[in-house]
Amino acid sequence: MEIRPYRSSDCETLVELFYQTVHAVNAKDYTREQLDAWATGRVDLERWDRTLGERAAAVAVEDGVIVGFGDMDETGYLDRLFVHKDFQGRGIASAICDVLEGQHPGKRYTVHASITARPFFENRGYRVVKEQQVERRGVLLTNYRMEKDGAARDLSSASPEEAPDGAERSAGL
């Protein structure tokens, strides 16, 4: 697996990966109505491309196929983190986080994690600061504002869409 920087030519593939991941992986923790409100399948590609290009954005590629991506802004806010539904549990999300956190050393990392992603982030040393009910298209979704001190040792590495409120793009794995 290779982790490389985002390219504008990746955008459509990432949007599709986001949609498929939300609707497959997060289905165990959210209703169909919530999934449809979170990931509609209709996004502003120019906005996604712009925000991914402005931030540290990492893309995981395996055998020429994009299998995951994530992005972090200069404050240490991890906006999106999604891994293809067929590539879950292979360390891809951890590898992406390692790269993004490594590009922002010493920051206090924050994320709005889905119910599904919460255990992943807890295993990385993040702690829940607040459980949130966020509204997307008139539908409430639960997510968690989580934080991690960037100076803290990351124990996980030691072993071998558009919503500013974080609802749509909250890390879903």
Side-chain angles (χ1 to χ4, degrees), residues 71-169:
D71 66 298
M72 183 177 280
D73 71 15
E74 66 282 347
T75 69
Y77 175 64
L78 179 62
D79 194 359
R80 290 166 279 215
L81 178 65
F82 293 92
V83 173
H84 189 285
K85 64 184 178 63
D86 296 334
F87 292 83
Q88 297 281 311
R90 298 186 187 183
I92 295 167
S94 292
I96 293 169
C97 281
D98 289 346
V99 167
L100 295 175
E101 290 173 0
Q103 292 177 0
H104 297 86
K107 296 283 185 182
R108 175 171 303 271
Y109 307 121
T110 60
V111 66
H112 293 185
S114 67
I115 295 168
T116 313
R118 178 182 170 175
F120 167 81
F121 286 107
E122 287 175 332
N123 287 336
R124 287 190 66 79
Y126 286 73
R127 63 180 178 81
V128 173
V129 175
K130 179 182 177 184
E131 180 176 324
Q132 307 179 119
Q133 295 293 313
V134 292
E135 185 179 334
R136 290 301 295 151
R137 296 168 185 82
V139 178
L140 291 178
L141 295 96
T142 298
N143 73 14
Y144 303 92
R145 177 174 168 78
M146 300 182 77
E147 292 183 353
K148 173 183 164 181
D149 182 354
R153 182 170 176 248
D154 181 0
L155 298 178
S156 69
S157 63
S159 56
E161 179 130 287
E162 296 148 344
D165 63 13
E168 186 161 331
R169 295 186 311 199

Side-chain angles (χ1 to χ4, degrees), residues 11-67:
C11 194
E12 286 187 40
T13 302
L14 300 189
V15 166
E16 181 63 21
L17 187 150
F18 160 72
Y19 178 85
Q20 294 298 328
T21 300
V22 168
H23 282 268
V25 175
N26 297 96
K28 69 180 184 170
D29 296 308
Y30 295 92
T31 67
R32 177 67 184 202
E33 179 185 35
Q34 290 172 319
L35 298 172
D36 289 342
W38 181 0
T40 65
R42 295 178 308 276
V43 301
D44 181 340
L45 287 173
E46 288 181 15
R47 184 173 179 188
W48 268 59
D49 182 47
R50 185 181 70 253
T51 59
L52 288 164
E54 291 171 350
R55 300 176 181 151
V59 177
V61 180
E62 190 169 298
D63 296 325
V65 175
I66 293 176
V67 296

